[in-house]
Amino acid sequence: PETVEDLRDALLTEPVRRPTQQRAARTEQLQARQASSMAAEVKKEFWLPLESNPEVLNGFRDKLSASNAFAFHDVYGFDPDLLAMVPQPCLAVLLLFPYAEMAAAKAAQLERLRSEGYAPDAGIFFMRQYVGNACGTIACVHALAANSDFTVSAGSELEAWIGANKPLSAEDRGTNLALAKFVSAATSESAQEGQTAAPDVGDDVNHHFVAFVAHNNCVYELDGTKPYPINHGPLSSDLLSDAIEVIKREFVAHVPDGQFNIMALASVE
């Protein structure tokens, strides 16, 4: 302070301002510790995996009270005639792939993106996966949330959950999904409705689900085990055709003899 008056003002105002800043900092630290602790707890959980089956996923959709104007359909192959069997418009594509066999290729992909300084679009709805064997659930919710104007019913719990989580980080969304009882209940019920017997909770499941959606005229891969959504480039035609090209290039090419299954979230027939 340059004058006695300045010194007096500083002495009067500084003690008031500093505790306020300290309290805010302590609150932020406490909230960060609580969020970290909660995320650590949900990482210990396992859900029953959803079967890669349109009937199962459409049942899951219904249990979330999502719109029945769009449904999950099998994609029977890469041939244009087979792709033409999928109704349009197609809002999302789900891929089930052999996780262990793809691990090295996906790790190399992330390393390449880091070296390139990749920065994803922050506007896309993306969440991390913290619950074991919940990849099918995550992929379905990603597909619905990315197209919520068309797929989410007004007044539903899913609509409220998406609205509340849109402003949050991918990590907080993942934690909150793990804590969403209506989602875990729908998953548990749907997992029992497949054509094959459901595994035990916590069983090792090698195959993994991801979703492909369109955002800002680009094809995005949404995989909750990755730190961010991956932009695979601009849409050149329809989402289904472009997603298939990504799947062939980024997945099948690495494991040509692997077991893959593809479904599309598209208009009902």
Side-chain angles (χ1 to χ4, degrees):
E2 296 181 357
T3 66
V4 173
E5 289 77 9
D6 291 338
L7 178 60
R8 181 194 61 198
D9 292 342
L11 290 173
L12 288 173
T13 59
E14 187 68 15
V16 174
R17 185 171 62 250
R18 185 175 296 152
T20 301
Q21 294 171 337
Q22 290 173 343
R23 283 194 297 272
R26 285 198 297 270
T27 299
E28 291 178 0
Q29 291 171 356
L30 178 60
Q31 290 173 338
R33 285 198 298 270
Q34 290 173 335
S36 177
S37 176
M38 193 174 297
E41 285 301 312
V42 300
K43 286 179 182 179
K44 300 176 184 178
E45 289 190 28
F46 281 83
W47 291 354
L48 287 173
L50 294 180
E51 186 174 283
S52 183
N53 177 332
E55 291 184 5
V56 171
L57 299 195
N58 288 327
F60 178 71
R61 172 208 62 187
D62 292 342
K63 291 175 178 62
L64 295 182
S65 299
S67 170
N68 58 9
F70 291 86
F72 291 96
H73 304 265
D74 275 319
V75 177
Y76 294 108
F78 298 150
D79 187 86
D81 290 338
L82 296 176
L83 296 181
M85 295 172 63
V86 178
Q88 291 290 341
C90 172
L91 301 182
V93 175
L94 269 59
L95 169 69
L96 185 74
F97 66 92
Y99 189 74
E101 291 87 334
M102 285 291 304
K106 304 319 284 182
Q109 178 190 52
L110 287 178
E111 183 57 36
R112 174 178 58 79
L113 292 173
R114 290 190 190 99
S115 67
E116 294 173 353
Y118 171 74
D121 188 326
I124 192 168
F125 192 97
F126 172 74
M127 73 194 97
R128 299 298 306 276
Q129 178 184 337
Y130 293 135
V131 177
N133 292 344
C135 58
T137 300
I138 298 285
C140 288
V141 175
H142 270 147
L144 295 171
N147 299 283
S148 57
D149 289 346
F150 307 103
T151 61
V152 177
S153 300
S156 65
E157 283 188 274
L158 181 60
E159 181 192 48
W161 186 88
I162 292 172
N165 282 272
K166 271 187 177 179
L168 306 182
S169 67
E171 291 74 20
D172 287 342
R173 291 172 188 159
T175 299
N176 289 341
L177 186 82
L179 298 173
K181 297 300 183 184
F182 76 102
V183 178
S184 61
T187 300
S188 181
E189 292 176 26
S190 298
Q192 306 285 350
E193 298 170 356
Q195 295 177 352
T196 58
D200 292 332
V201 173
D203 278 0
D204 186 26
V205 178
N206 181 43
H207 281 72
H208 182 65
F209 272 107
V210 297
F212 296 90
V213 301
H215 178 73
N216 284 347
N217 292 316
C218 290
V219 180
Y220 272 86
E221 175 189 340
L222 306 181
D223 180 349
T225 65
K226 293 180 179 175
Y228 36 67
I230 295 178
N231 186 342
H232 285 287
L235 284 167
S236 62
S237 55
D238 62 283
L239 174 64
L240 177 60
S241 298
D242 287 343
I244 290 299
E245 291 305 312
V246 173
I247 290 168
K248 291 193 292 186
R249 182 180 70 245
E250 300 290 340
F251 293 84
V252 178
H254 295 286
V255 191
D257 297 325
Q259 292 183 330
F260 297 87
N261 191 54
I262 304 171
M263 289 177 287
L265 177 63
S267 176
V268 295
E269 294 177 307

